[in-house]
Amino acid sequence: MNSTFEFFNKLKNQQIELKDCKLQWQSPSNIALVKYWGKKEIQIPENLSISMGLKNCFTQTQMVAKCHQQNKMALEYFFSNERHLLFETKVMTFLNHHVLPLMPFLSKLSLTFNSSNSFPHSAGIASSASSMSALALCLMDLATKLFNLNLPTAEFFQHASYLARLGSGSACRSIYGGFSRWGELNENDGSNEYALKIEKIHPLFMGLKDTIVIVDSGPKEVSSSNGHKLMATHDYADQRYQRADKNAHFLIEVLEKGDMENFGRIIESEAFDLHGLMMSSSTPFILLRPKTLEVIELVKQYRNENKTPIYFTLDAGPNVHLLYPPQFHSQISQELFSKIKSLDCPLIFDEIGNGPVKIDG
Ligand code: PMV
């Protein structure tokens, strides 16, 4: 398979047939099980990370590309049919800095994006992974159309994952359904530049549910970008990167073997590591809220009393992701979610997804 660098280099020397195109992709959000926290230039992760792609929380993005005579890419970005200048600036920066050098033909086009999320903006769910992966898939699709390429599926997704990573690190893992990994497992396996699907998954993990407890839907006090920056001078950085790599190797084994108990142990300790790192950085910050801890306590108590395999993990925010096999859903809903709801926390019901889909028409 071509490396992404070789692929785009080859494209530059090929004949292009410019034409107007309309494309649409839907791409999901993902929840990190082993967290990416700390990076080098340009979006190169300091450690391995693993995530589960979701089904119901996704971004749908339509891209209309029209040829024009100027030699400068034009861009308009709409979110839910309304022009969104903040997203437009972000996407423009991403395209100018990272994508135009790989796809210089974009300068001959005028691009209009219209995207929408399946989840409410105020749900406190990070949308950068789903939106950047949807955008990257549209761009790859555009390249294959304009150059009349017929790429093998794995190669198409690998290059899309590479582009998505340049937009937002965790977005590179949203390119695949099921479980994905990002980073170099060893010299010959995996890459820091794109994610790969984890193929060997025990049936116990098929259909895994992820119910998200929305503890707080407000904007985050510290962005992920600033969190990553703080890792550059963090006293525990080296230990963290080693621990994350160890957890990732172990999780890959656990996913293959169907070891639910160790799955739970890893994802919960990863959640605490992430938030512990925030609290112990040179500019400490806390994204957890009192209700985050209340939910965690309820989950632990319920698990111990009922011997039910339900485990929590956290993203860079106060909301709690609850992962469990689907056969326990009705029992957990009746016995645990009723208690959680009394804390006045809305729930979003999601589960493991099959990855992005191209929308025709
Ligand atoms: O992709 P970013 O730069 O938004 O960073 C994501 C960081 C976490 O969501 C906390 C962890 C992860 O691996 O997704």
Side-chain angles (χ1 to χ4, degrees):
M1 191 188 301
N2 278 323
S3 78
T4 302
F5 180 75
E6 285 166 21
F7 168 76
F8 286 111
N9 239 356
K10 267 193 197 159
L11 271 198
K12 283 181 202 158
N13 303 319
Q14 274 181 33
Q15 279 298 320
I16 188 164
E17 189 191 316
L18 277 175
K19 54 187 172 201
D20 295 351
C21 288
K22 192 172 167 186
L23 306 156
Q24 195 164 337
W25 279 83
Q26 176 180 306
S27 190
S29 182
N30 70 74
I31 175 67
L33 306 174
V34 173
K35 321 287 175 182
Y36 147 60
W37 199 242
K39 64 177 169 183
K40 300 176 229 176
E41 291 290 317
I42 316 159
Q43 313 271 58
I44 294 298
E46 290 279 10
N47 61 262
L48 289 163
S49 63
I50 294 182
S51 62
M52 180 176 101
L54 300 182
K55 185 176 186 178
N56 302 330
C57 294
F58 58 80
T59 298
Q60 197 158 312
T61 300
Q62 185 196 64
M63 174 169 89
V64 176
K66 286 196 158 61
C67 313
H68 66 187
Q69 300 308 315
Q70 298 94 313
N71 211 11
K72 191 169 189 286
M73 181 186 68
L75 172 76
E76 276 192 327
Y77 200 99
F78 292 80
F79 183 71
S80 294
N81 298 317
E82 284 192 25
R83 186 104 180 252
H84 199 299
L85 293 178
L86 184 67
F87 289 170
E88 194 167 295
T89 313
K90 278 189 180 171
V91 171
M92 192 66 169
T93 310
F94 163 61
L95 293 178
N96 275 330
H97 285 175
H98 298 301
V99 186
L100 259 174
L102 301 171
M103 297 181 160
F105 61 86
L106 289 181
S107 62
K108 305 258 184 326
L109 297 170
S110 152
L111 303 173
T112 308
F113 292 96
N114 194 349
S115 78
S116 58
N117 291 340
S118 64
F119 46 95
H121 185 59
S122 60
I125 296 176
S127 58
S128 60
S130 53
S131 58
M132 278 301 171
S133 52
L135 181 65
L137 286 157
C138 287
L139 290 166
M140 262 312 289
D141 205 359
L142 177 70
T144 56
K145 275 216 157 58
L146 296 182
F147 288 92
N148 288 317
L149 304 172
N150 196 4
L151 290 182
T153 314
E155 183 167 349
F156 175 87
F157 285 118
Q158 178 185 305
H159 302 327
S161 178
Y162 181 101
L163 292 178
R165 181 199 105 238
L166 295 170
S168 164
S170 56
C172 74
R173 297 183 313 237
S174 272
I175 296 293
Y176 307 97
F179 297 90
S180 335
R181 61 179 164 98
W182 172 28
E184 285 167 7
L185 270 191
N186 58 49
E187 270 174 40
N188 308 311
D189 189 0
S191 168
N192 287 331
E193 297 184 335
Y194 52 84
L196 292 169
K197 187 175 168 72
I198 304 179
E199 302 286 353
K200 291 183 189 155
I201 302 292
H202 192 277
L204 257 185
F205 295 108
M206 309 282 184
L208 210 63
K209 296 278 181 189
D210 178 9
T211 295
I212 310 164
V213 185
I214 308 300
V215 164
D216 191 336
S217 55
K220 281 189 283 185
E221 194 184 304
V222 177
S223 67
S224 290
S225 322
N226 285 333
H228 285 294
K229 274 191 202 133
L230 284 168
M231 284 305 289
T233 53
H234 202 295
D235 286 343
Y236 302 154
D238 290 343
Q239 290 93 324
R240 162 61 195 163
Y241 302 145
Q242 281 173 27
R243 206 161 121 95
D245 284 346
K246 199 166 123 196
N247 281 342
H249 282 275
F250 189 30
L251 185 59
I252 289 171
E253 253 178 72
V254 156
L255 288 170
E256 187 176 349
K257 281 195 198 137
D259 180 351
M260 191 57 80
E261 211 173 307
N262 275 316
F263 173 82
R265 236 177 243 149
I266 298 169
I267 69 169
E268 293 190 350
S269 85
E270 278 288 318
F272 287 155
D273 268 22
L274 174 66
H275 287 265
L277 289 164
M278 295 174 189
M279 291 184 238
S280 53
S281 54
S282 56
T283 311
F285 61 104
I286 302 184
L287 298 182
L288 302 176
R289 291 290 167 262
K291 281 186 189 172
T292 311
L293 302 185
E294 282 187 66
V295 172
I296 290 175
E297 281 309 312
L298 283 174
V299 170
K300 282 174 131 179
Q301 194 186 356
Y302 177 77
R303 178 168 73 218
N304 293 338
E305 283 170 6
N306 298 278
K307 306 280 170 266
T308 307
I310 175 164
Y311 304 98
F312 64 84
T313 197
L314 302 162
D315 209 342
N319 302 327
V320 190
H321 288 248
L322 300 179
L323 278 69
Y324 51 91
Q327 63 270 31
F328 295 98
H329 184 68
S330 77
Q331 177 200 326
I332 291 173
S333 291
Q334 283 164 30
E335 297 167 8
L336 177 65
F337 294 161
S338 50
K339 284 191 193 156
I340 291 177
K341 274 189 196 147
S342 69
L343 295 174
D344 215 15
C345 295
L347 302 178
I348 292 184
F349 295 103
D350 212 331
E351 59 190 68
I352 191 166
N354 295 323
V357 272
K358 183 174 160 73
I359 317 272
D360 290 323

